[in-house]
Amino acid sequence: MYTNENLMEKIISLCKRRGFIFPGSEIYGGLANAWDYGPLGVEVKNNIKRMWWDRFVRRRSDIFGLDAALIMNPRVWEASGHLKEFSDPLTECRKCHERFRADQLEDAHACPACGGELTDPLQFNLMLKTYLGPAEEKANEVYFRPETAQGMFVNFKNMLDTMRPRLPFGIAQIGKAFRNEITPGNFIFRTREFEQMEIEYFIRPPKNNEWEEQFDMWRREMEQWIADLGVDASRVREVEIPDGERAHYSKRTIDFEYDFPFGRKELYGLAYRTDFDLKNHEGYSGENLKYRDPETLEEFWPHVIEPTWGVDRSVLVTLLEAYREDAEKKRVYLKLPPKLAPYQAAVFPLLSNKSALIEKAENIYKSLQSSSSKLHVAWDERGNVGKRYYAQDEIGTPWCVTIDFQTLEDDTVTVRDRDTAQQVRKSIAELDDYVKEMIGW
Ligand code: GAP
């Protein structure tokens, strides 16, 4: 477990102070559990999404990308079972009227806030409802999608017709999902609007449990992903979800749980959805959603393994794992994996009142920041160099490049490492390659 006290408070404060994540609608007093990603937060979030898309879509020939509409025909949610099944037990205190999720309470009868008596739990549907068009009537009711998955099932036929894939193959999507959570909270851990990265991986109807091989393949992929975010494996548990506690569509689920400072909670999930979704969508839509084997011409509904990742929870664990306090040097730094950091490097002139230094530094900054380079580079000329180092440490910039008087003579610069605070001298010509090599690009 974490030894750093008040870690969540420290992270939330750093996020606000340094432009990672702001409270949503702040000038109006905020909106409970809504958060806005600022300039640095959106970089980390986009880097995570890019790493995921690159790994699972662009570097694989068996997975196809999709970006489906957020609001879908409401019949989708009848077919998927969400209208009937996607609910949590809601209970309310008769005295203080606070509401809770009954399945998360230690005592199902006493209010944890005031000790008052709790009502019998009612199933509360988590889908967020709205109306399309000007009339607020039943016929115009629609839902914001509670998972990105259904966009992939309803486009299954389009994928077969356009991409002509052979089994096994997958559809991948990154996008927003909405849930009217009863107890949102813990910063960006549980919100009502959040983002998911999901894959529906279609396999042959299993004989002799061969789906378990594919399940294990995805389990290993997810373990590797978690390691690449910089997460310490000792803080992750893979938990088999027992019968009766899994989502309505799942025959097997493993939750990847993480030791958050507020307790051990779900980070990601892996489920075997069988042919539940395709079969139901065929039943409700009347469209043939079977796969036809090109060799045997046999038709069947493929089965599905679904690995799913929360984007916001990925950002949160990345920040929690990266946070460091260096008592000796009296500094805070974020030990982010360099390719996930908001900036890969920062460039400074040693002094901000020497035009020769500034001019030289600006040229180096422009060349590192150029479109042919994948690097995102910060510029800083405020205060003294020591303060600039600390400011970059706090936002996780792995390397700081300083242009000094020696640079004007021999075209070398100092490169300071965020984690060790050590400096090395490098020639300007090798700078771009040096940083990329250190990142592993
Ligand atoms: N399609 C399967 C599915 O949606 P889930 O376990 O309900 O499964 C997947 O959600 C992931 O989405 C979770 O593992 C978590 O990372 C993220 N997630 C779910 N609800 C969330 C919420 N209210 N706020 C932030 N992330 C959430």
Side-chain angles (χ1 to χ4, degrees):
M1 288 301 283
Y2 286 92
T3 47
N4 196 329
E5 275 180 37
N6 308 324
L7 182 57
M8 282 302 286
E9 286 79 357
K10 289 174 183 172
I11 296 274
I12 295 170
S13 151
L14 187 153
C15 281
K16 164 112 170 77
R17 196 172 65 249
R18 300 304 314 272
F20 283 85
I21 300 171
F22 307 124
S25 316
E26 201 181 5
I27 61 166
Y28 288 99
L31 174 71
N33 303 293
W35 299 93
D36 297 341
Y37 286 79
L40 304 199
V42 73
E43 289 296 330
V44 175
K45 189 175 173 181
N46 283 344
N47 288 342
I48 288 173
K49 291 196 278 185
R50 202 175 297 122
M51 177 164 113
W52 188 91
W53 193 261
D54 197 56
R55 175 175 305 192
F56 296 121
V57 182
R58 299 187 58 172
R59 301 287 149 237
R60 291 180 68 131
S61 51
D62 60 340
I63 301 190
F64 304 94
L66 181 76
D67 187 9
L70 247 154
I71 297 179
M72 306 171 76
N73 187 313
R75 301 254 297 149
V76 168
W77 309 113
E78 277 176 54
S80 70
H82 281 79
L83 262 178
K84 208 161 132 235
E85 311 271 3
F86 195 58
S87 50
D88 280 337
L90 169 69
T91 179
E92 188 177 327
C93 174
R94 292 189 198 279
K95 203 164 137 203
C96 71
H97 299 288
E98 188 143 346
R99 295 187 172 125
F100 304 95
R101 254 179 76 173
D103 57 335
Q104 290 179 339
L105 296 178
E106 270 175 28
D107 181 345
H109 305 290
C111 170
C114 75
E117 192 196 345
L118 294 173
T119 59
D120 286 340
L122 284 176
Q123 285 303 319
F124 170 75
N125 194 291
L126 297 182
M127 284 201 294
L128 221 72
K129 205 189 285 181
T130 189
Y131 298 91
L132 276 192
E136 288 194 11
E137 56 197 26
K138 188 90 187 144
N140 292 343
E141 260 177 26
V142 287
Y143 300 91
F144 288 103
R145 65 183 180 199
E147 59 170 6
T148 63
Q150 296 305 323
M152 300 189 258
F153 294 122
V154 303
N155 278 290
F156 179 73
K157 190 172 180 309
N158 284 330
M159 288 290 169
L160 293 185
D161 293 347
T162 55
M163 308 313 287
R164 309 242 159 243
R166 295 271 185 115
L167 290 176
F169 74 90
I171 309 178
Q173 180 165 219
I174 300 180
K176 290 260 176 162
F178 295 79
R179 295 181 189 177
N180 207 356
E181 298 280 3
I182 297 171
T183 47
N186 290 318
F187 192 32
I188 53 173
F189 173 77
R190 191 185 303 284
T191 49
R192 294 187 171 119
E193 172 183 347
F194 58 97
E195 221 171 341
Q196 294 183 317
M197 309 184 280
E198 296 198 295
I199 296 172
E200 306 307 322
Y201 199 71
F202 298 94
I203 60 173
R204 290 183 174 276
K207 294 183 192 119
N208 312 322
N209 282 354
E210 53 192 39
W211 62 269
E212 289 186 334
E213 269 172 44
Q214 301 284 356
F215 195 91
D216 282 342
M217 181 272 281
W218 280 108
R219 187 177 186 160
R220 286 191 298 276
E221 289 285 352
M222 296 185 86
E223 287 166 355
Q224 187 56 50
W225 167 270
I226 290 171
D228 290 349
L229 279 189
V231 174
D232 180 343
S234 72
R235 275 199 273 268
V236 181
R237 299 276 179 291
E238 295 177 21
V239 181
E240 196 76 49
I241 306 299
D243 288 350
E245 289 180 27
R246 289 189 296 269
H248 59 278
Y249 48 73
S250 176
K251 193 163 165 188
R252 184 181 178 197
T253 298
I254 288 180
D255 278 354
F256 291 77
E257 294 187 348
Y258 176 81
D259 286 327
F260 288 95
F262 44 87
R264 184 177 296 166
K265 307 265 181 211
E266 178 183 342
L267 172 61
Y268 302 138
L270 175 62
Y272 171 36
R273 289 181 86 126
T274 69
D275 56 0
F276 176 89
D277 299 271
L278 289 180
K279 207 195 286 183
N280 281 341
H281 282 305
E282 177 165 323
Y284 276 76
S285 69
E287 288 282 345
N288 179 0
L289 297 183
K290 294 186 200 71
Y291 173 87
R292 176 181 245 225
D293 187 302
E295 263 110 51
T296 63
L297 304 185
E298 188 196 350
E299 281 202 351
F300 53 84
W301 292 295
H303 282 228
V304 173
I305 308 289
E306 179 195 64
T308 174
W309 293 254
V311 175
D312 311 85
R313 288 185 195 179
S314 303
V315 174
L316 182 56
V317 285
T318 304
L319 293 172
L320 285 167
E321 288 283 334
Y323 187 87
R324 298 282 190 287
E325 286 171 358
D326 181 346
E328 201 184 309
K329 296 202 171 58
K330 295 197 178 65
R331 65 174 186 144
V332 165
Y333 65 105
L334 288 185
K335 196 174 176 190
L336 292 167
K339 64 178 164 193
L340 300 183
Y343 300 104
Q344 279 68 52
V347 174
F348 326 136
L350 179 67
L351 302 173
S352 52
N353 56 0
K354 290 275 176 282
S355 58
L357 289 180
I358 292 178
E359 202 178 310
K360 191 83 182 168
E362 274 177 351
N363 288 337
I364 294 170
Y365 168 71
K366 280 184 195 143
S367 114
L368 279 184
Q369 174 85 310
S370 70
S371 59
S372 62
S373 161
K374 286 197 282 182
L375 305 176
H376 191 217
V377 185
W379 168 266
D380 197 354
E381 53 178 300
R382 294 164 304 177
N384 64 42
V385 169
K387 278 198 181 139
R388 294 182 213 155
Y389 285 152
Y390 281 23
Q392 293 298 327
D393 286 345
E394 212 188 20
I395 61 171
T397 309
W399 297 286
C400 291
V401 176
T402 303
I403 286 73
D404 53 22
F405 291 103
Q406 194 179 328
T407 315
L408 302 180
E409 283 163 23
D410 64 3
D411 268 350
T412 63
V413 291
T414 63
V415 182
R416 175 195 177 265
D417 182 279
R418 171 195 69 198
D419 304 339
T420 62
Q422 299 294 313
Q423 300 187 19
V424 289
R425 232 173 150 97
K426 291 281 159 195
S427 76
I428 295 172
E430 65 183 331
L431 200 53
D432 187 74
D433 285 346
Y434 173 75
V435 173
K436 284 183 182 158
E437 201 184 308
M438 299 285 282
I439 298 173
W441 278 345

